[in-house]
Amino acid sequence: MVLWSVVLLAFLATLATFGRVALTIMLGIVLGWFLGYAAAKMGFLRECSYH
């Protein structure tokens, strides 16, 4: 019985870790897109170009 609880706990901990990693990656993509879009709308990228 103890072995099954340890295996279940390890499995749930692994799922939680993968979930946090996936959430962090998705949040980074969404926030990066949003900040880039906001900067483009404000003309920030145009002012910083050195052409």
Side-chain angles (χ1 to χ4, degrees):
M1 276 306 220
V2 174
L3 178 64
W4 284 109
S5 62
V6 170
V7 169
L8 180 64
L9 184 63
F11 178 72
L12 291 176
T14 302
L15 280 181
T17 300
F18 281 134
R20 283 193 299 267
V21 168
L23 180 66
T24 303
I25 290 172
M26 288 187 292
L27 193 63
I29 290 170
V30 170
L31 284 178
W33 180 87
F34 177 74
L35 290 174
Y37 178 77
K41 287 296 272 189
M42 289 174 24
F44 182 76
L45 297 175
R46 196 172 336 165
E47 295 172 13
C48 292
S49 64
Y50 295 106
H51 293 119

